[in-house]
Amino acid sequence: MRVLLQRCYEASVSVEEEVISEIAGGLCLLVGFTHDDTPETVEYMAKKVVGLRIFEDESEKMNISLAERGGAILSVSQFTLYADVSKGKRPSFTKSAPGEKAERLYDLFNTKLSEAGFIVETGVFGAFMDVKIINHGPITMMLDSAEMRK
Amino acid sequence: MRVLLQRCYEASVSVEEEVISEIAGGLCLLVGFTHDDTPETVEYMAKKVVGLRIFEDESEKMNISLAERGGAILSVSQFTLYADVSKGKRPSFTKSAPGEKAERLYDLFNTKLSEAGFIVETGVFGAFMDVKIINHGPITMMLDSAEMRK
């Protein structure tokens, strides 16, 4: 599973130019799944994301997590996070999980985050969306469950 | 070297609430460097980014590159792309190249892109910035030179 985390000042999703969900300060998460991801992977990543110390404290040090600070989450499915661009000019998406599996795990991820007490706004799985992000810092990190659990 | 590519409808950088650079359609690139990156790595990645077929053609197939389609680039330095989040809650940045080296390679990257004929807007290296992105699709990919050249 991969989560591309962007610390945001504001984020929203529009479908056909209509804003369908939006958050103020917090995290914008673009979320992708691969074939061997499991519900356990999802649970691990949900805990990791909200615990990361990536918000500034009073002395402007990156020391505070979303869990400690509070804030909302915009979670948007993004299968292209598993694009393989190593060969030629056409990305390959064979590493991306099939849609049905990805949707199930995406829904579970959002459920785990809201069960943990966060406001979770989402995109529309599989829809063409414009995702507006004001990345504050900017602070951008890729969380890859395969890398993190080596 | 890592480039977090977001296909954008619009993107801009603000410093102290003042917009300092902005583009309409094209690519927003968040760019990070590690210790063993070289000018040769930068040249390879610049070519790769503009050649990737990630824009839709008339039949709505992702078939067209920025080089074929035209469009601008917003390139913003982002050392956190080399964050190691595998242990605990505090990201480690030991894999990020030192500032002086990163700035030199970042400037070279932007020069290579503009020499290739693209409009290249940039952030301010090392400054606190708000990066506004309208990610169109969304289409997000992480290009990692170490992964791509295995």
Side-chain angles (χ1 to χ4, degrees):
Chain A
M1 177 177 175
R2 286 177 180 167
V3 176
L4 190 280
L5 172 158
Q6 294 182 82
R7 186 179 76 173
C8 63
Y9 190 74
E10 182 193 311
S12 63
V13 172
S14 301
V15 175
E16 290 166 9
E17 300 180 10
E18 198 196 325
V19 175
I20 58 153
S21 53
E22 59 190 322
I23 64 167
L27 295 176
C28 179
L29 307 177
L30 298 171
V31 188
F33 300 93
T34 191
H35 301 282
D36 56 6
D37 287 335
T38 63
E40 194 268 334
T41 318
V42 167
E43 191 142 4
Y44 166 81
M45 292 290 263
K47 247 184 227 135
K48 192 77 182 185
V49 162
V50 299
L52 278 176
R53 294 175 161 197
I54 54 168
F55 291 90
E56 275 91 8
D57 60 17
E58 317 79 50
S59 50
E60 308 269 312
K61 282 252 163 296
M62 246 190 349
N63 223 0
I64 312 272
S65 67
L66 191 71
E68 293 162 305
R69 173 187 177 277
I73 291 167
L74 178 64
S75 166
V76 178
S77 49
Q78 180 72 113
F79 75 94
T80 65
L81 291 185
Y82 276 98
D84 178 353
V85 292
S86 54
K87 290 181 190 58
K89 297 185 173 184
R90 193 183 299 282
S92 141
F93 298 105
T94 49
K95 290 181 189 158
S96 304
E100 218 188 294
K101 171 173 177 136
E103 186 165 13
R104 215 171 39 243
L105 293 175
Y106 171 65
D107 289 342
L108 178 64
F109 181 62
N110 298 334
T111 303
K112 291 292 172 192
L113 292 170
S114 46
E115 279 173 359
F118 296 92
I119 298 164
V120 181
E121 296 288 343
T122 68
V124 177
F125 185 90
F128 193 98
M129 301 173 270
D130 276 320
V131 181
K132 176 183 166 187
I133 306 149
I134 300 186
N135 187 328
H136 193 51
I139 298 286
T140 313
M141 296 180 190
M142 178 74 93
L143 281 64
D144 184 334
S145 57
E147 290 294 319
M148 292 157 68
R149 310 181 85 182
K150 264 183 189 163
Chain B
M1 176 176 176
R2 287 177 180 167
V3 177
L4 190 280
L5 173 157
Q6 294 181 84
R7 188 178 75 173
C8 64
Y9 191 71
E10 182 192 310
S12 64
V13 171
S14 301
V15 175
E16 289 166 9
E17 298 180 11
E18 197 196 327
V19 175
I20 60 154
S21 53
E22 60 190 321
I23 63 166
L27 295 177
C28 178
L29 307 177
L30 298 170
V31 188
F33 300 92
T34 190
H35 301 283
D36 57 5
D37 287 336
T38 64
E40 195 269 332
T41 317
V42 167
E43 192 144 3
Y44 167 82
M45 292 290 263
K47 249 185 223 133
K48 191 78 183 185
V49 163
V50 299
L52 277 177
R53 296 176 158 194
I54 54 169
F55 292 90
E56 275 90 9
D57 60 16
E58 314 80 52
S59 49
E60 306 271 312
K61 281 254 163 297
M62 244 187 354
N63 224 356
I64 311 270
S65 66
L66 190 70
E68 293 162 304
R69 172 187 178 281
I73 292 169
L74 179 64
S75 164
V76 178
S77 49
Q78 179 73 114
F79 74 94
T80 65
L81 291 184
Y82 276 98
D84 178 352
V85 292
S86 53
K87 292 189 190 53
K89 296 183 174 184
R90 193 183 298 280
S92 142
F93 299 105
T94 50
K95 290 180 189 160
S96 304
E100 220 190 293
K101 170 172 178 139
E103 187 166 12
R104 216 172 39 244
L105 293 176
Y106 172 63
D107 289 343
L108 178 63
F109 181 62
N110 298 334
T111 303
K112 290 293 171 191
L113 291 171
S114 46
E115 279 173 358
F118 295 92
I119 298 164
V120 181
E121 296 288 342
T122 69
V124 176
F125 187 89
F128 194 97
M129 299 174 271
D130 276 322
V131 181
K132 177 182 163 186
I133 304 149
I134 299 186
N135 187 327
H136 193 51
I139 297 287
T140 312
M141 296 179 191
M142 177 73 92
L143 282 65
D144 183 333
S145 57
E147 289 294 320
M148 293 157 69
R149 309 179 87 184
K150 265 185 189 162

